[in-house]
Amino acid sequence: MAERSFKAEVEHLRQGAGSSFTGEGILAITKALLENGVGYVGGYQGAPISHLMDVLADAEELLGELGVRYEANASEAAAAAMLAASVHYPIRGAVTFKGSVGVNVASDALANLASSGVTGGALVIVGEDYGEGSSIMQERSYAFAMKSQFWLLDPRPNLPSIVKSVGDSFALSEASNTPVMLMVRIRSCHVTGTFECRDNQRPPLTVREALSNPQRDFKRVVLPPMSYQHEHDKIENRWPAAEKFILEHGLNERFGPQDGKVGLICLGGMYNSVIRALQRLGLADVSGNTDVPLYVMNVAHPLVQSDLLGFCAGKDAVLMVEEGQPEFIEQQLGNMLFKAGSQTKLEGKGIFPKAGEYTGQVMMDGLDDFFRKYAAHLLPGQVRAPNTPQPEIPDLSQTVPIRPPGFCTGCPERPIFASMKLVERELGKHQISADIGCHLFAALPPFEIGGQTMGYGLGPASNAAFDGGGEKRAISIIGDGGFWHNGLSTSIGNMVFNKSDSVAIIVDNYYSAATGGQDIPSSRAKNASKSTNNPITKALEGAGVKWIRQIDRTYDVTRMRETIREALTTDYDGPKVIVASSECMLNRQRREKPQRNKAIKDGARVEIPRFGVDEDICTGDHACIRLSGCPSLSLKTLDDPLRDDPVAHIDQSCVGCGNCGEVADAAILCPSFYEARVVHNPSGFERWAAGLRSRVISWLQTRRAARRLTFNGTASGRIAP
């Protein structure tokens, strides 16, 4: 069950020549793949291209009609290995996954692919999310492209450019026998626009047809002595062929006048930001026309030396707009200018910050500084007086509270970590390693559980140094997505093989939840094209784990606490694994809400649980909040002069999971929580009973108010002079 369905949108992928396509970048990429005769596609879900996988999954019927093989791969490594089909066969293939982390996971397959070279066009679509919109370490895919010699395209973020870049990537790959990376940023994935369609193309050779005529060429096997020859082939043949193709087909673009004393060089993905900054400086109009020479590198690697030197010739200075660090392109460009004996001054880092996202303000300030230094006459007005310090920007952190990532309301992972905190109170702190996924939020308050994370599925492996035993057992956390991605073999297999005496907790929320709710092998859903309902416990048994505990309702905090305590104190010497299962609340709500709303609309009787806190009973201990942190659980100040401390309060965002009450009950018996059930379309008897209860309550309230009035009057009379 993906986060979003594209069933309606994928029908537009059938459009042909003469029609215009309107939609998001991810839909445009899919249409471009079909128009360019792709033979197979695959990938691993992950922001910012997770929806591209969802589009491909929803378009599986159309892909099948065209003879295109689609696979949702188990990992980025599996996706990259799929491109082996293009090594010996003239079949175009494309796979996709998240940028730097996906490239890291897939690096073995990608390095072998780049060494052997390809016959058919091989394309890796990487979702790059460098900057504050990213959820991972701040790295770029550029370094890998340089290391293994992948050509890297970074198109301007508009639909016609993105669509063109897909075709250019396949053609460049085939012309140079080299795999290509197509980098699309978050804004490129979700930018909307229009482009002119072409007819979808059935691949000239499908993967099914290729099986009838197997091909092999031992010269492409990455073994000595062929691997030595591959290196020479890269430099002597593939690289010159790529430069020739880039020049002949004008993959890089120039805007503005041909001549000028200064110029800007930017990656294609930075083009929109550069033009917007020029507009704000009065150096470009609303259509993007500018009087500043601009060289746009839609191909980020390789750099075409003759073209770049030609652009720099006769200029006093050029500014390289390269986001992130190290400044790979700036270094290469500086080397080119130095060896050519050019007098053109190169600026980049220094004008711009060495690290961090180039936001609109950062971009405008950098360009403004550059023009004031080398071409102040181009600026139409005094945007900022020379040598005048920037206006001070207020420190919003002093007035706006920080908002770190956290678990969703009703998340079934929250009670797992509440249980761990309760055990920690009793047994003391333990060495805990975390993993990639929603459960990593437990490293933040109020839980503060999990000290490090090394990669997807590597939670238990991260504790390997502590697995030999000690006064306390180490604990590791891993999600069901990470378990199937890399964890079963790398983490669990490692624990079994080395007879680990530690504890692993597998958080099973039924989906690859953090990337959008896609199905995985252990999902409970029925999937027509995928094998689901494969229990994690069966896989653990097959891997050799003997001590396994399955918990089917994580909200049972008492049982969770007892099971974790058992794992940490048992005499059993070997890997101990707890599988804690409950459905992701976001996906559960997406599934149940439409069904519930339809039932209510159809007149069916529906009960919806709601939880609350009795203000008269709550003591203000707030243990429920300290051990939960649920967004719907907050504080409320009472209008009572005798009670200064705020009490716990459950707001309207509550989804009725009951975790707060369970936690309070497990920690210290707390009677202040109550459950009420809102009944939609009640029966006649229920309406009569509700009316009777309302009248009785109203009579009792009136009676109590009258008694209070009498008491107050009597008391006043007693103390009157």
Side-chain angles (χ1 to χ4, degrees), residues 160-204:
S161 294
I162 293 170
V163 169
K164 180 179 181 297
S165 70
V166 173
D168 289 340
S169 296
F170 280 131
L172 174 61
S173 177
E174 291 164 347
S176 61
N177 302 117
T178 302
V180 171
M181 286 184 180
L182 175 62
M183 186 167 73
V184 287
R185 302 158 192 255
I186 292 177
R187 294 174 181 85
S188 300
C189 288
H190 301 296
V191 67
T192 57
T194 301
F195 66 94
E196 296 304 311
C197 295
R198 294 186 293 134
D199 292 334
N200 294 333
Q201 299 294 319
R202 185 180 179 85

Short mmCIF file of all heavy atoms in Angstrom, two decimals, residues 160-204:
data_model
loop_
_atom_site.label_atom_id
_atom_site.label_comp_id
_atom_site.label_asym_id
_atom_site.label_seq_id
_atom_site.Cartn_x
_atom_site.Cartn_y
_atom_site.Cartn_z
N PRO A 160 10.41 19.61 -20.19
CA PRO A 160 11.04 19.33 -21.49
C PRO A 160 12.51 18.94 -21.36
O PRO A 160 12.98 18.03 -22.05
CB PRO A 160 10.88 20.65 -22.25
CG PRO A 160 9.67 21.29 -21.65
CD PRO A 160 9.73 20.93 -20.20
N SER A 161 13.25 19.62 -20.46
CA SER A 161 14.66 19.29 -20.27
C SER A 161 14.84 17.91 -19.65
O SER A 161 15.73 17.15 -20.04
CB SER A 161 15.34 20.34 -19.39
OG SER A 161 15.39 21.59 -20.03
N ILE A 162 13.99 17.58 -18.69
CA ILE A 162 14.08 16.28 -18.03
C ILE A 162 13.79 15.16 -19.02
O ILE A 162 14.51 14.15 -19.08
CB ILE A 162 13.12 16.22 -16.83
CG1 ILE A 162 13.56 17.20 -15.73
CG2 ILE A 162 13.04 14.81 -16.26
CD1 ILE A 162 12.55 17.38 -14.62
N VAL A 163 12.74 15.35 -19.82
CA VAL A 163 12.37 14.33 -20.81
C VAL A 163 13.49 14.16 -21.84
O VAL A 163 13.86 13.03 -22.20
CB VAL A 163 11.05 14.71 -21.50
CG1 VAL A 163 10.78 13.83 -22.71
CG2 VAL A 163 9.90 14.61 -20.51
N LYS A 164 14.04 15.25 -22.31
CA LYS A 164 15.13 15.18 -23.28
C LYS A 164 16.35 14.48 -22.68
O LYS A 164 17.04 13.70 -23.37
CB LYS A 164 15.52 16.59 -23.73
CG LYS A 164 16.66 16.65 -24.76
CD LYS A 164 16.95 18.08 -25.17
CE LYS A 164 18.06 18.15 -26.22
NZ LYS A 164 19.34 17.64 -25.71
N SER A 165 16.61 14.73 -21.40
CA SER A 165 17.80 14.15 -20.77
C SER A 165 17.72 12.62 -20.69
O SER A 165 18.75 11.95 -20.71
CB SER A 165 18.00 14.74 -19.37
OG SER A 165 17.00 14.29 -18.48
N VAL A 166 16.50 12.07 -20.59
CA VAL A 166 16.37 10.62 -20.56
C VAL A 166 16.82 10.02 -21.89
O VAL A 166 17.61 9.07 -21.93
CB VAL A 166 14.91 10.20 -20.25
CG1 VAL A 166 14.74 8.69 -20.39
CG2 VAL A 166 14.52 10.65 -18.84
N GLY A 167 16.34 10.59 -22.99
CA GLY A 167 16.78 10.12 -24.30
C GLY A 167 18.26 10.35 -24.53
O GLY A 167 18.97 9.49 -25.07
N ASP A 168 18.76 11.52 -24.10
CA ASP A 168 20.19 11.82 -24.24
C ASP A 168 21.03 10.82 -23.44
O ASP A 168 22.11 10.42 -23.88
CB ASP A 168 20.48 13.24 -23.76
CG ASP A 168 19.95 14.31 -24.70
OD1 ASP A 168 19.70 13.99 -25.88
OD2 ASP A 168 19.78 15.46 -24.25
N SER A 169 20.55 10.44 -22.28
CA SER A 169 21.30 9.51 -21.42
C SER A 169 21.45 8.15 -22.09
O SER A 169 22.55 7.57 -22.10
CB SER A 169 20.60 9.36 -20.07
OG SER A 169 20.58 10.58 -19.36
N PHE A 170 20.36 7.63 -22.63
CA PHE A 170 20.44 6.34 -23.31
C PHE A 170 21.38 6.42 -24.51
O PHE A 170 22.23 5.54 -24.72
CB PHE A 170 19.04 5.90 -23.77
CG PHE A 170 18.20 5.28 -22.69
CD1 PHE A 170 16.90 5.70 -22.49
CD2 PHE A 170 18.70 4.26 -21.89
CE1 PHE A 170 16.11 5.13 -21.50
CE2 PHE A 170 17.92 3.67 -20.90
CZ PHE A 170 16.62 4.11 -20.70
N ALA A 171 21.23 7.48 -25.31
CA ALA A 171 22.06 7.62 -26.51
C ALA A 171 23.53 7.80 -26.15
O ALA A 171 24.43 7.22 -26.80
CB ALA A 171 21.57 8.81 -27.34
N LEU A 172 23.81 8.59 -25.11
CA LEU A 172 25.19 8.79 -24.66
C LEU A 172 25.78 7.49 -24.15
O LEU A 172 26.96 7.17 -24.42
CB LEU A 172 25.22 9.86 -23.57
CG LEU A 172 26.57 10.12 -22.88
CD1 LEU A 172 27.61 10.58 -23.88
CD2 LEU A 172 26.41 11.14 -21.76
N SER A 173 24.99 6.72 -23.42
CA SER A 173 25.46 5.44 -22.90
C SER A 173 25.84 4.50 -24.03
O SER A 173 26.90 3.85 -23.99
CB SER A 173 24.36 4.81 -22.03
OG SER A 173 24.74 3.53 -21.57
N GLU A 174 25.01 4.44 -25.06
CA GLU A 174 25.28 3.53 -26.17
C GLU A 174 26.43 4.03 -27.04
O GLU A 174 27.23 3.23 -27.55
CB GLU A 174 24.01 3.37 -27.01
CG GLU A 174 22.93 2.59 -26.28
CD GLU A 174 21.54 2.73 -26.88
OE1 GLU A 174 21.35 3.61 -27.74
OE2 GLU A 174 20.65 1.96 -26.49
N ALA A 175 26.56 5.35 -27.20
CA ALA A 175 27.63 5.90 -28.03
C ALA A 175 29.00 5.69 -27.40
O ALA A 175 30.01 5.59 -28.11
CB ALA A 175 27.39 7.39 -28.26
N SER A 176 29.04 5.61 -26.06
CA SER A 176 30.33 5.49 -25.37
C SER A 176 30.47 4.18 -24.60
O SER A 176 31.47 3.99 -23.90
CB SER A 176 30.49 6.66 -24.39
OG SER A 176 29.46 6.65 -23.42
N ASN A 177 29.48 3.28 -24.74
CA ASN A 177 29.50 1.98 -24.03
C ASN A 177 29.71 2.15 -22.53
O ASN A 177 30.37 1.33 -21.88
CB ASN A 177 30.59 1.07 -24.61
CG ASN A 177 30.40 0.81 -26.08
OD1 ASN A 177 31.25 1.17 -26.89
ND2 ASN A 177 29.29 0.21 -26.45
N THR A 178 29.14 3.21 -21.98
CA THR A 178 29.34 3.55 -20.56
C THR A 178 27.99 3.79 -19.89
O THR A 178 27.12 4.45 -20.47
CB THR A 178 30.19 4.82 -20.43
OG1 THR A 178 31.44 4.61 -21.08
CG2 THR A 178 30.44 5.18 -18.97
N PRO A 179 27.78 3.24 -18.69
CA PRO A 179 26.52 3.54 -17.98
C PRO A 179 26.44 5.00 -17.59
O PRO A 179 27.47 5.67 -17.41
CB PRO A 179 26.59 2.63 -16.74
CG PRO A 179 28.04 2.34 -16.55
CD PRO A 179 28.66 2.34 -17.91
N VAL A 180 25.23 5.50 -17.46
CA VAL A 180 24.98 6.92 -17.19
C VAL A 180 24.11 7.06 -15.96
O VAL A 180 23.18 6.28 -15.74
CB VAL A 180 24.29 7.58 -18.41
CG1 VAL A 180 23.83 9.00 -18.07
CG2 VAL A 180 25.23 7.61 -19.60
N MET A 181 24.42 8.07 -15.15
CA MET A 181 23.56 8.46 -14.03
C MET A 181 22.78 9.71 -14.42
O MET A 181 23.37 10.65 -14.96
CB MET A 181 24.38 8.76 -12.77
CG MET A 181 24.95 7.57 -12.07
SD MET A 181 25.78 8.09 -10.54
CE MET A 181 26.33 6.50 -9.93
N LEU A 182 21.51 9.70 -14.15
CA LEU A 182 20.67 10.89 -14.35
C LEU A 182 20.25 11.38 -12.97
O LEU A 182 19.52 10.70 -12.26
CB LEU A 182 19.44 10.55 -15.20
CG LEU A 182 18.43 11.67 -15.39
CD1 LEU A 182 19.05 12.86 -16.12
CD2 LEU A 182 17.21 11.17 -16.14
N MET A 183 20.74 12.55 -12.60
CA MET A 183 20.48 13.07 -11.26
C MET A 183 19.25 13.98 -11.29
O MET A 183 19.21 14.95 -12.03
CB MET A 183 21.70 13.86 -10.77
CG MET A 183 21.60 14.32 -9.34
SD MET A 183 23.18 14.91 -8.69
CE MET A 183 23.34 16.47 -9.54
N VAL A 184 18.25 13.63 -10.51
CA VAL A 184 17.06 14.47 -10.37
C VAL A 184 16.90 14.86 -8.91
O VAL A 184 16.97 14.03 -8.02
CB VAL A 184 15.78 13.77 -10.88
CG1 VAL A 184 15.78 13.69 -12.39
CG2 VAL A 184 15.64 12.37 -10.30
N ARG A 185 16.73 16.15 -8.68
CA ARG A 185 16.61 16.66 -7.31
C ARG A 185 15.16 16.63 -6.88
O ARG A 185 14.26 16.34 -7.68
CB ARG A 185 17.18 18.08 -7.26
CG ARG A 185 18.64 18.13 -7.70
CD ARG A 185 19.05 19.54 -8.16
NE ARG A 185 20.33 19.54 -8.84
CZ ARG A 185 21.48 19.98 -8.31
NH1 ARG A 185 21.48 20.49 -7.11
NH2 ARG A 185 22.59 19.90 -8.99
N ILE A 186 14.93 16.94 -5.61
CA ILE A 186 13.57 16.89 -5.07
C ILE A 186 12.62 17.74 -5.93
O ILE A 186 11.53 17.30 -6.31
CB ILE A 186 13.54 17.38 -3.62
CG1 ILE A 186 14.27 16.39 -2.71
CG2 ILE A 186 12.11 17.55 -3.13
CD1 ILE A 186 14.36 16.83 -1.27
N ARG A 187 13.05 18.96 -6.24
CA ARG A 187 12.17 19.85 -7.00
C ARG A 187 11.95 19.34 -8.42
O ARG A 187 10.91 19.58 -9.02
CB ARG A 187 12.75 21.27 -7.00
CG ARG A 187 12.76 21.92 -5.61
CD ARG A 187 13.48 23.25 -5.61
NE ARG A 187 13.52 23.85 -4.29
CZ ARG A 187 14.43 23.58 -3.36
NH1 ARG A 187 15.40 22.72 -3.65
NH2 ARG A 187 14.39 24.16 -2.18
N SER A 188 12.95 18.65 -8.98
CA SER A 188 12.78 18.09 -10.32
C SER A 188 11.75 16.97 -10.31
O SER A 188 10.97 16.82 -11.25
CB SER A 188 14.12 17.54 -10.83
OG SER A 188 15.10 18.55 -10.89
N CYS A 189 11.75 16.17 -9.23
CA CYS A 189 10.81 15.06 -9.14
C CYS A 189 9.37 15.54 -9.11
O CYS A 189 8.47 14.90 -9.66
CB CYS A 189 11.10 14.23 -7.90
SG CYS A 189 12.59 13.24 -8.01
N HIS A 190 9.14 16.67 -8.46
CA HIS A 190 7.76 17.09 -8.22
C HIS A 190 7.39 18.41 -8.89
O HIS A 190 6.31 18.94 -8.65
CB HIS A 190 7.51 17.16 -6.71
CG HIS A 190 7.75 15.85 -6.02
ND1 HIS A 190 6.99 14.74 -6.26
CD2 HIS A 190 8.69 15.46 -5.12
CE1 HIS A 190 7.44 13.72 -5.55
NE2 HIS A 190 8.47 14.14 -4.85
N VAL A 191 8.28 18.94 -9.73
CA VAL A 191 7.91 20.11 -10.52
C VAL A 191 6.83 19.71 -11.52
O VAL A 191 6.82 18.58 -12.02
CB VAL A 191 9.15 20.70 -11.24
CG1 VAL A 191 9.66 19.75 -12.32
CG2 VAL A 191 8.84 22.05 -11.85
N THR A 192 5.90 20.59 -11.79
CA THR A 192 4.85 20.29 -12.76
C THR A 192 5.05 21.15 -14.01
O THR A 192 5.61 22.24 -13.94
CB THR A 192 3.45 20.55 -12.18
OG1 THR A 192 3.38 21.91 -11.74
CG2 THR A 192 3.17 19.63 -11.01
N GLY A 193 4.59 20.65 -15.13
CA GLY A 193 4.75 21.37 -16.38
C GLY A 193 4.15 20.60 -17.53
O GLY A 193 3.40 19.63 -17.33
N THR A 194 4.53 20.98 -18.73
CA THR A 194 3.98 20.39 -19.95
C THR A 194 5.10 20.12 -20.94
O THR A 194 6.06 20.89 -21.02
CB THR A 194 2.93 21.33 -20.58
OG1 THR A 194 1.89 21.57 -19.63
CG2 THR A 194 2.33 20.73 -21.84
N PHE A 195 4.97 19.05 -21.69
CA PHE A 195 5.91 18.78 -22.78
C PHE A 195 5.17 18.06 -23.90
O PHE A 195 4.11 17.46 -23.69
CB PHE A 195 7.11 17.94 -22.30
CG PHE A 195 6.75 16.54 -21.87
CD1 PHE A 195 6.82 15.47 -22.75
CD2 PHE A 195 6.35 16.29 -20.56
CE1 PHE A 195 6.50 14.19 -22.36
CE2 PHE A 195 6.02 15.01 -20.15
CZ PHE A 195 6.09 13.95 -21.05
N GLU A 196 5.73 18.12 -25.09
CA GLU A 196 5.12 17.50 -26.25
C GLU A 196 5.48 16.01 -26.29
O GLU A 196 6.66 15.64 -26.18
CB GLU A 196 5.58 18.18 -27.54
CG GLU A 196 5.13 19.63 -27.64
CD GLU A 196 3.62 19.78 -27.52
OE1 GLU A 196 2.90 19.04 -28.22
OE2 GLU A 196 3.17 20.62 -26.71
N CYS A 197 4.48 15.18 -26.45
CA CYS A 197 4.68 13.74 -26.40
C CYS A 197 5.21 13.18 -27.71
O CYS A 197 5.06 13.77 -28.79
CB CYS A 197 3.36 13.04 -26.07
SG CYS A 197 2.70 13.40 -24.45
N ARG A 198 5.80 12.00 -27.60
CA ARG A 198 6.10 11.15 -28.75
C ARG A 198 5.43 9.80 -28.49
O ARG A 198 4.99 9.51 -27.38
CB ARG A 198 7.61 10.97 -28.92
CG ARG A 198 8.34 12.24 -29.30
CD ARG A 198 9.82 11.97 -29.60
NE ARG A 198 10.54 11.56 -28.40
CZ ARG A 198 11.37 10.52 -28.34
NH1 ARG A 198 11.56 9.76 -29.42
NH2 ARG A 198 12.00 10.21 -27.21
N ASP A 199 5.34 8.97 -29.49
CA ASP A 199 4.73 7.65 -29.31
C ASP A 199 5.61 6.78 -28.42
O ASP A 199 6.85 6.84 -28.49
CB ASP A 199 4.55 6.96 -30.66
CG ASP A 199 3.50 7.64 -31.53
OD1 ASP A 199 2.60 8.28 -30.97
OD2 ASP A 199 3.60 7.53 -32.76
N ASN A 200 4.96 5.96 -27.60
CA ASN A 200 5.71 4.98 -26.82
C ASN A 200 6.32 3.94 -27.77
O ASN A 200 5.71 3.58 -28.77
CB ASN A 200 4.80 4.28 -25.81
CG ASN A 200 4.28 5.23 -24.74
OD1 ASN A 200 4.93 6.22 -24.43
ND2 ASN A 200 3.13 4.93 -24.17
N GLN A 201 7.51 3.47 -27.43
CA GLN A 201 8.22 2.55 -28.31
C GLN A 201 8.40 1.19 -27.62
O GLN A 201 8.90 1.13 -26.49
CB GLN A 201 9.60 3.10 -28.67
CG GLN A 201 9.57 4.43 -29.41
CD GLN A 201 8.94 4.30 -30.79
OE1 GLN A 201 9.18 3.33 -31.51
NE2 GLN A 201 8.13 5.29 -31.15
N ARG A 202 8.01 0.14 -28.29
CA ARG A 202 8.31 -1.20 -27.80
C ARG A 202 9.80 -1.43 -27.98
O ARG A 202 10.37 -1.06 -29.01
CB ARG A 202 7.51 -2.23 -28.60
CG ARG A 202 7.66 -3.67 -28.10
CD ARG A 202 6.84 -4.62 -28.93
NE ARG A 202 7.00 -5.99 -28.46
CZ ARG A 202 6.32 -6.55 -27.47
NH1 ARG A 202 5.39 -5.82 -26.85
NH2 ARG A 202 6.53 -7.80 -27.10
N PRO A 203 10.50 -1.99 -27.00
CA PRO A 203 11.95 -2.19 -27.16
C PRO A 203 12.25 -3.08 -28.36
O PRO A 203 11.55 -4.09 -28.59
CB PRO A 203 12.35 -2.87 -25.84
CG PRO A 203 11.10 -3.39 -25.24
CD PRO A 203 10.01 -2.48 -25.69
N PRO A 204 13.26 -2.72 -29.17
CA PRO A 204 13.61 -3.53 -30.35
C PRO A 204 13.90 -4.98 -29.97
O PRO A 204 13.62 -5.90 -30.74
CB PRO A 204 14.86 -2.83 -30.89
CG PRO A 204 14.76 -1.43 -30.39
CD PRO A 204 14.10 -1.52 -29.05
#
